[in-house]
Amino acid sequence: MARIVMKFGGTSVATIERIQNVARHVKREVDAGHEVAVVVSAMAGVTNQLVAWCKEAMADYDRREYDAVVASGEQVTSGLLAIALHNLGLKARSYQGWQIPLKTDETHGSARIADLGGSTIVEGFKNGTVACIAGFQGVSPDGSIATLGRGGSDTSAVAVAAGIKADRCDIYTDVDGVYTTDPRIVPQARRLDRVAFEEMLEMASLGAKVLQVRSVELAMVHNVRVFVRSSFDAPDAPQIGVGNLPPGTLICNEEEIVEQQVVTGIAYSKDEAQVTLRGVQDKPGVAAGVFGPLASGNINVDMIVQNISDDGTTDLTFTVPVADYERAMAALQKNKKEIGYAKLDGATDVVKVSVVGIGMRSHAGVAAKAFAALAEKGINIRVIATSEIKISVLIDAAYTELAVRTLHSIYGLDQA
């Protein structure tokens, strides 16, 4: 017998029929003797409608009341799932975030988890009750509902798994696992059996949409084994895959991966904009003058490159999320006198392509291989950023698919 958390996203619970299908997945695990908690998202499209209503009611709405409205979508789903489980003859009850309790900070709309509760759910396991939990939400220090930001149900599920010391956390989604790259670009992309936490964290932050970044961070900190699985598999489909594991991709500690590939996957992100300051005075405090106003505006900066000083000036290039591009440019223009630059350039027609793999730590020449392959295809690199397990390049967006296919091929990821 195992203790399992199962999480189902919006497309998996989009209709009553699909909720009933989710109930059959849950019954399969209960019938196998497992203790089960289920975390659900709002039905597909519901959260968008709730957000739209908030904006229609008042453009500058109160964040506390916004949370009270948008959290209702998950509450509906959790109640409907409990009813569907009752119909299958199972004991089940719905829980809202505050009833667990999943405690957060006071940042409404994008709250961080402060404490991982779970005793209430464990108590219900003693009489065979399945917990149907509204994801995406918790309770703030003043007792108000607080939401975790879009995609927060993944984070809720991992938090619940950590709180109840679950053996695993199964994330059911509309794909059947994590792939070496986007199969829409590279048909030869392969589903990975296992991915290390660090690799998944890099891939999620670099554009892979399978898991929310914060959920991977939480899983790594609390060592929660996560399976990415397809909710569209039949509930009675075979439940044992490669390595005596459920079908899908296991996100786990590096120690669980016996055969480590040099490169695990190729990720890309179109959510990038490039900013270049030319003729910046090369003196102490300039970087603080540039990035201070951006930090004050909650604008995240990623890839940073500074040229060698020439006649007392230098060029500084970095990337920001494309959604923050206009605000970043405005902040830099406003502070031009304090920063002391000659010209401000920017571009939004760029994409970040990344090579990820824990095996890169012990292998030389991985970066050189990527640069040579891209050069051979005539792809110019604007900016380069590296870490122990990642190489990222910023290129013109027009070359996205060619770059992804080229890198996927040269590292042998096309091969079964």
Side-chain angles (χ1 to χ4, degrees):
M1 183 182 72
R3 182 171 291 175
I4 300 171
V5 172
M6 306 170 72
K7 183 267 175 179
F8 293 87
T11 55
S12 305
V13 294
T15 64
I16 296 299
E17 182 181 3
R18 288 187 179 178
I19 290 174
Q20 290 169 334
N21 186 61
V22 166
R24 288 190 287 270
H25 277 285
V26 175
K27 186 176 188 300
R28 179 195 65 233
E29 301 294 355
V30 173
D31 288 346
H34 303 314
E35 296 176 335
V36 180
V38 191
V39 176
V40 291
S41 299
M43 300 167 77
V46 168
T47 301
N48 288 338
Q49 179 63 72
L50 294 171
V51 171
W53 282 340
C54 288
K55 292 178 178 178
E56 184 179 346
M58 182 179 181
D60 187 21
Y61 49 75
D62 181 84
R63 301 297 292 182
R64 180 189 181 279
E65 303 311 328
Y66 165 88
D67 277 357
V69 173
V70 298
S72 64
E74 282 73 15
Q75 294 170 23
V76 169
T77 311
S78 62
L80 288 173
L81 177 59
I83 292 171
L85 290 170
H86 294 161
N87 192 46
L88 295 178
L90 299 180
K91 292 182 180 178
R93 65 155 289 182
S94 62
Y95 290 88
Q96 298 174 26
W98 62 268
Q99 293 174 304
I100 298 173
L102 195 156
K103 298 179 181 179
T104 74
D105 63 16
E106 68 283 352
T107 311
H108 288 284
S110 57
R112 307 285 296 188
I113 294 173
D115 185 58
L116 313 175
S119 58
T120 303
I121 298 169
V122 173
E123 192 64 29
F125 287 157
K126 294 178 181 178
N127 63 11
T129 299
V130 176
C132 301
I133 301 164
F136 173 62
Q137 62 183 261
V139 57
S140 70
D142 69 355
S144 303
I145 293 174
T147 63
L148 307 180
R150 299 305 293 266
S153 290
D154 282 356
T155 305
S156 297
V158 175
V160 169
I164 67 173
K165 295 180 171 53
D167 295 282
R168 69 176 199 254
C169 177
D170 292 354
I171 305 289
Y172 287 80
T173 181
D174 53 1
V175 295
D176 62 350
V178 180
Y179 279 71
T180 49
T181 195
D182 189 341
R184 294 170 298 181
I185 291 180
V186 184
Q188 298 90 346
R190 295 178 293 106
R191 189 180 72 192
L192 297 161
D193 296 324
R194 297 173 187 246
V195 177
F197 287 127
E198 285 184 84
E199 292 174 321
M200 193 66 241
L201 188 58
E202 290 283 10
M203 292 171 74
S205 64
L206 294 168
K209 305 297 184 185
V210 178
L211 289 175
Q212 189 202 43
V213 174
R214 284 167 61 189
S215 70
V216 183
E217 290 176 342
L218 200 61
M220 184 164 63
V221 169
H222 294 279
N223 195 25
V224 175
R225 300 168 87 239
V226 175
F227 284 90
V228 178
R229 308 179 60 175
S230 173
S231 61
F232 298 115
D233 287 343
D236 57 354
Q239 291 303 300
I240 298 299
V242 176
N244 203 36
L245 297 173
T249 300
L250 170 64
I251 317 300
C252 60
N253 265 325
E254 184 178 336
E255 290 75 16
E256 288 195 56
I257 303 175
V258 179
E259 295 184 18
Q260 296 177 357
Q261 301 295 318
V262 176
V263 171
T264 298
I266 310 298
Y268 68 94
S269 172
K270 296 180 179 180
D271 181 33
E272 306 292 332
Q274 177 183 330
V275 178
T276 300
L277 298 168
R278 303 194 184 278
V280 181
Q281 294 298 313
D282 189 18
K283 60 183 181 181
V286 166
V290 172
F291 298 117
L294 300 178
S296 297
N298 291 318
I299 298 172
N300 292 324
V301 175
D302 187 14
M303 309 169 83
I304 304 173
V305 173
Q306 183 174 354
N307 294 339
I308 296 173
S309 176
D310 181 19
D311 297 328
T313 65
T314 184
D315 293 344
L316 186 65
T317 298
F318 54 91
T319 61
V320 297
V322 71
D324 294 329
Y325 173 69
E326 296 295 342
R327 290 199 303 124
M329 296 294 277
L332 294 170
Q333 289 166 355
K334 181 179 179 181
N335 291 273
K336 180 177 180 179
K337 184 177 180 180
E338 291 80 2
I339 298 169
Y341 61 84
K343 186 180 180 183
L344 177 62
D345 291 331
T348 56
D349 57 341
V350 294
V351 67
K352 179 169 62 179
V353 180
S354 305
V355 178
V356 179
I358 52 178
M360 292 165 58
R361 288 181 178 141
S362 55
H363 288 77
V366 179
K369 193 172 186 178
F371 301 153
L374 294 175
E376 185 179 336
K377 297 295 184 181
I379 301 173
N380 182 53
I381 299 173
R382 292 170 172 252
V383 183
I384 301 169
T386 64
S387 72
E388 274 193 320
I389 66 168
K390 173 199 73 179
I391 303 161
S392 293
V393 295
L394 193 72
I395 63 172
D396 292 343
Y399 294 99
T400 304
E401 294 191 10
L402 177 59
V404 171
R405 287 196 298 266
T406 299
L407 295 173
H408 194 269
S409 179
I410 66 161
Y411 292 116
L413 297 177
D414 291 349
Q415 303 168 11

